[in-house]
Amino acid sequence: MNLDEKIGQMTQYAGGWDLTGPPKSRGAHKKVEKIKKGHVGSLLNVTSVKEIRAAQKLVMENSRLKIPMMFAFDVIHGFKTIFPIPLAESASWDLDIIKKSAAIAAKEASAAGLNWTFAPMVDVSRDARWGRVMESAGEDPYLNAVVGVARVKGFQGDDLSKETTIAACAKHFAGYGFAEAGRDYNTVNVGEFELHNAILPPFKAVAKAGVATFMNAFNDIDGIPATGHKMLQRDILKGDWDWNGFVVSDWGSIGEMQIHGFAKNKKQAAKIALHAGSDMDMESHAYEMHLKALIKENKVSEENLNNAVKRILRVKFQLGLFDDPYKYCNNKREKNSIYTAKHI
């Protein structure tokens, strides 16, 4: 792989333009050309077999290496067959039915062409003013851990290469639910004891259970944005826990390190994020704009870059995308496996 292709694997775009017709805007045209070159590793918010097949064809029929893309979506409490919100599910204390609801969501999402969900959220959250309490299992670390593991096993099953399973994503790493005054994106001030005994245990549990991906958080912890937090991502998650998946940023969170006052510009933010262990850049465009220059200037480690790409490719292999890039693009499944009487 050349450097542009490696950085491409670390770049995620959002959909929102017509993939089955000619690009109608300059921005869409540029994205299509990047996909054709194999310079995009993943798309989110593209949600039909028709659209996903069209996008995958762009890279498979035009790029040099023909590395398939992953397709992601927020499948939080069901895809088309809707289940109770995660907080309500956790109140049942029924891990079997929670696992089953995630499995049904995975079956439906995969039938629509998707192979990756941004769930489960395992943030311990104790301030009702924080609106995203509804997406977690509440205030208890143990309950968040066992519910999180149940949902990971439901989404991923016993074999990630099956066409009815999808990659899960543990989020938001870490401390997002402890945002000051319940204000989203706000600062988090916790001590080592609370971090390791209240916040991290659910993440450790899902990492041990084999969750394919992690998503970092928008907040900072004691002044360090989670996206640029080396101790969390590289030392604890990838080091102490020996986890081998990849970390995706939350939407634009690499660039938002500027707003935190932690990076002076997006180029420095890209440098900090890669050093800290953030493998894939969701929609801040920091990696695609600046990593090549940072490598040439010897300001970021090529070993870290190669490690990030290796982690991303490993998950794609586990999903079976290299065997069949279109394995999730089955029109018959999309027609017959979504919002069925059995699921309802």
Side-chain angles (χ1 to χ4, degrees), residues 150-166:
R151 298 188 74 213
V152 167
K153 290 181 176 178
F155 287 130
Q156 297 189 172
D158 298 321
D159 183 356
L160 202 52
S161 68
K162 288 183 178 178
E163 66 173 8
T164 55
T165 63
I166 58 178

